[in-house]
Amino acid sequence: MITVSQIRGGADYLGRHLSANDYYSQGEQVKGTWWGKASDMLGLENREVESSDFLSLQQNKHPETGERLRERSAKVNWHDFVVSAPKSFSVAAMVGGDERLLEAFDRSVKRCFENLEGEAAVRLRGGQRYHTEAVRTTGNAVAAVFRHDTSRLLDPQVHSHLVFGNMTWDRESGRWLALQPKTMAEESKAWIRGAFYRDLAKECESLGYAVEKDGQAFRLTEMEPQVEKLFQQRTVQRERFESRYTQVFGEAPSAKRVEEFIKDRKTAARRRFKDEYHTRFGRWPTSEQVDDFAVESRTSKMATSSREKVREGQLGQLTLEQRRSLEKMVLAAREQSSSIGVTEEPVLEEKQEERQGQSQQKRSKLKVPLSAQSNQRKKGISTKQRKSQQSFGRMEALRRMKRGMVITRALQGHPASLLVRQLTQLAQQKQRTEYERTRKL
């Protein structure tokens, strides 16, 4: 999932929301990193997020020189894009303790960020376009990136905040302008979110996990559905909110209203319900009605826990059988990933050679008989050449195995990877042809 929210002001957003670790302990700090092409222009790329730099951008100032960046002031200082992993992924990573998944998540988020940054744009205001929504793509942005790993209800929920500064460098006009995130949000729904899920699913497969499609996202096939449901408290709350809303107002809430419920804290949720109730019925709701409706609004962060205590509490919600099942799944994935390219390669190679009906001598690529080695020595073949011939079979088997995996993904509804591979091969072939032509000249 990718959600977007605008941050107005944001004086305490870094300290209370981004650096405060994972919604459960304000005593533990999360370190953020600056990403984006514009961050490089500002001297921030890949640097740790410091409060002074964050404050400078929030105040529309260059973090090193203090110069004003945008000519016009803006009410919005940040655009927070939150990229979340599927629930089964989060459970395996945080409760199952598979740290490899967190590294895979970071890689996928990085590629997702690059896709979002490619859609960065500025709004065109000159001439006849002043009252239009016309934009021009800039393709650069600066963002503070923080990874958190739980929800406010302490459920495992791996997600990253991509907090884009409200600025981008417009090469055509040669100045800093306000970032127009509309195209980024629209393209996120159109294809970037799907690309993120497919990319993360491939990362999971490479780590030994089996995956299956789950709506627009995916889930780990071996994860017990009961375990996922156990750690989806916010989803259960959302379903109950939709039921309460329908009972009070006689219709289901809109997608926007559900999004407001997800984001609103208790005070904001109570105020919103009062105003909505008064607008609909012409009278104010009673205190009991307000309490009943806003009973499950967003909670504040906890400041009395730690990472170890939270994981201990999460494990405590599982039965002994569920814990063993989770541990078994993670262990099997580790063993599967460690065996890829080691034990399977000779098997693939032998089957291919048998189908082709090659001779016994040609089938013995992985193990050359002593008589054959003796003949090779007599023919003057060096040790280096013999090793090269022996390794050729393994390399060819690996190449064909990867090709088969690409075709399999294409047949499962992921043709993009096959297309990319074909285009890459065509480009490489073209380069080799041009190189040969140059050599002949």
Side-chain angles (χ1 to χ4, degrees):
M1 179 184 295
I2 301 178
T3 60
V4 188
S5 59
Q6 294 181 333
I7 309 301
R8 301 173 184 269
D12 60 350
Y13 198 66
L14 175 64
R16 290 188 58 186
H17 300 281
L18 300 177
S19 296
N21 194 25
D22 306 321
Y23 295 145
Y24 58 74
S25 176
Q26 294 181 358
E28 296 181 3
Q29 295 295 307
V30 173
K31 294 182 179 180
T33 306
W34 292 107
W35 285 1
K37 298 176 182 177
S39 67
D40 186 27
M41 301 171 66
L42 296 169
L44 296 174
E45 187 177 29
N46 295 325
R47 278 173 46 181
E48 183 178 329
V49 177
E50 300 287 348
S51 58
S52 57
D53 297 330
F54 193 88
L55 181 61
S56 293
L57 294 184
Q58 185 169 294
Q59 296 175 344
N60 189 31
K61 295 180 181 179
H62 194 292
E64 293 185 344
T65 65
E67 297 177 326
R68 185 181 180 89
L69 295 175
R70 301 185 312 269
E71 295 178 2
R72 301 165 63 104
S73 59
K75 295 181 180 180
V76 176
N77 291 325
W78 306 97
H79 303 282
D80 189 0
F81 284 69
V82 181
V83 183
S84 302
K87 179 60 66 175
S88 59
F89 179 100
S90 297
V91 174
M94 303 312 304
V95 186
D98 194 344
E99 298 271 341
R100 303 175 307 155
L101 290 174
L102 297 179
E103 297 175 359
F105 179 77
D106 290 341
R107 291 191 295 269
S108 293
V109 169
K110 181 66 173 180
R111 290 186 281 269
C112 178
F113 171 83
E114 292 170 351
N115 289 333
L116 288 170
E117 184 183 31
E119 303 295 339
V122 295
R123 183 177 177 182
L124 302 179
R125 299 177 178 272
Q128 298 179 346
R129 297 172 298 191
Y130 185 78
H131 294 289
T132 70
E133 294 294 325
V135 298
R136 177 169 57 237
T137 301
T138 62
N140 67 83
V142 53
V145 181
F146 293 80
R147 172 168 40 87
H148 295 165
D149 53 39
T150 70
S151 69
R152 290 181 185 269
L153 296 173
L154 306 187
D155 285 338
Q157 184 56 61
V158 179
H159 60 282
S160 285
H161 290 262
L162 312 180
V163 188
F164 287 84
N166 190 16
M167 59 204 61
T168 180
W169 177 255
D170 181 39
R171 294 182 179 84
E172 187 164 328
S173 63
R175 54 180 178 162
W176 292 97
L177 296 175
L179 175 68
Q180 172 55 273
K182 182 178 180 180
T183 304
M184 298 167 64
E186 291 175 345
E187 295 304 313
S188 171
K189 294 180 180 179
W191 67 274
I192 295 177
R193 177 172 54 189
F196 165 72
Y197 283 139
R198 289 192 295 272
D199 185 77
L200 187 58
K202 293 175 186 176
E203 289 279 1
C204 291
E205 288 178 323
S206 69
L207 295 177
Y209 289 95
V211 301
E212 60 185 17
K213 191 172 178 59
D214 183 23
Q216 294 183 339
F218 70 94
R219 65 180 300 275
L220 303 184
T221 306
E222 303 301 324
M223 176 72 66
E224 293 185 12
Q226 296 86 345
V227 174
E228 285 183 85
K229 190 70 173 179
L230 186 64
F231 294 114
Q232 289 180 327
Q233 297 182 65
R234 196 58 175 163
T235 299
V236 174
Q237 285 188 354
R238 183 170 64 246
E239 292 172 352
R240 289 202 289 256
F241 165 78
E242 293 174 350
S243 176
R244 290 197 306 273
Y245 189 96
T246 302
Q247 291 177 0
V248 173
F249 295 101
E251 61 183 16
S254 64
K256 181 179 179 181
R257 185 65 179 89
V258 174
E259 187 70 19
E260 290 169 346
F261 162 75
I262 294 174
K263 294 180 180 179
D264 282 348
R265 294 187 183 178
K266 192 166 187 177
T267 301
R270 293 171 64 89
R271 182 172 58 249
R272 190 184 300 279
F273 172 68
K274 288 180 180 179
D275 294 340
E276 192 172 13
Y277 191 94
H278 184 266
T279 301
R280 180 68 64 88
F281 301 111
R283 64 180 185 275
W284 296 105
T286 64
S287 298
E288 291 77 10
Q289 288 176 312
V290 175
D291 291 338
D292 291 341
F293 191 85
V295 66
E296 291 180 325
S297 55
R298 193 181 188 194
T299 59
S300 298
K301 294 186 180 184
M302 297 179 63
T304 59
S305 189
S306 66
R307 182 184 297 273
E308 291 74 18
K309 290 182 179 179
V310 169
R311 184 167 185 267
E312 182 179 342
Q314 292 169 343
L315 286 170
Q317 298 181 54
L318 301 177
T319 65
L320 181 59
E321 183 179 351
Q322 289 172 334
R323 291 183 63 169
R324 288 176 176 173
S325 175
L326 181 59
E327 292 172 356
K328 181 179 178 181
M329 182 190 71
V330 173
L331 179 60
R334 290 182 181 275
E335 293 177 348
Q336 174 68 16
S337 64
S338 64
S339 65
I340 293 178
V342 178
T343 61
E344 296 183 7
E345 286 179 26
V347 175
L348 286 173
E349 183 184 359
E350 289 172 5
K351 289 183 179 180
Q352 292 166 353
E353 291 167 344
E354 289 173 2
R355 286 196 301 266
Q356 296 170 357
Q358 296 178 347
S359 64
Q360 180 64 34
Q361 183 178 356
K362 291 183 178 180
R363 285 201 301 269
S364 304
K365 291 181 179 179
L366 297 182
K367 184 176 180 180
V368 182
L370 293 176
S371 58
Q373 295 179 18
S374 177
N375 292 336
Q376 288 177 349
R377 293 192 188 97
K378 292 179 180 179
K379 293 180 180 179
I381 299 177
S382 66
T383 303
K384 185 176 181 180
Q385 289 174 321
R386 288 197 303 274
K387 290 183 178 180
S388 176
Q389 292 175 359
Q390 294 172 20
S391 64
F392 175 78
R394 291 190 293 271
M395 294 171 61
E396 179 65 15
L398 181 59
R399 185 190 68 79
R400 295 183 184 182
M401 182 181 69
K402 289 182 178 179
R403 177 66 175 175
M405 292 172 63
V406 171
I407 294 176
T408 300
R409 286 197 296 267
L411 293 176
Q412 293 175 343
H414 303 291
S417 58
L418 180 61
L419 180 60
V420 170
R421 184 180 180 89
Q422 291 174 339
L423 291 175
T424 301
Q425 290 176 343
L426 288 174
Q428 293 174 346
Q429 183 178 359
K430 183 178 180 181
Q431 291 178 351
R432 287 194 296 268
T433 303
E434 293 178 352
Y435 176 72
E436 293 296 333
R437 185 184 300 110
T438 304
R439 288 186 60 186
K440 291 179 180 179
L441 293 177

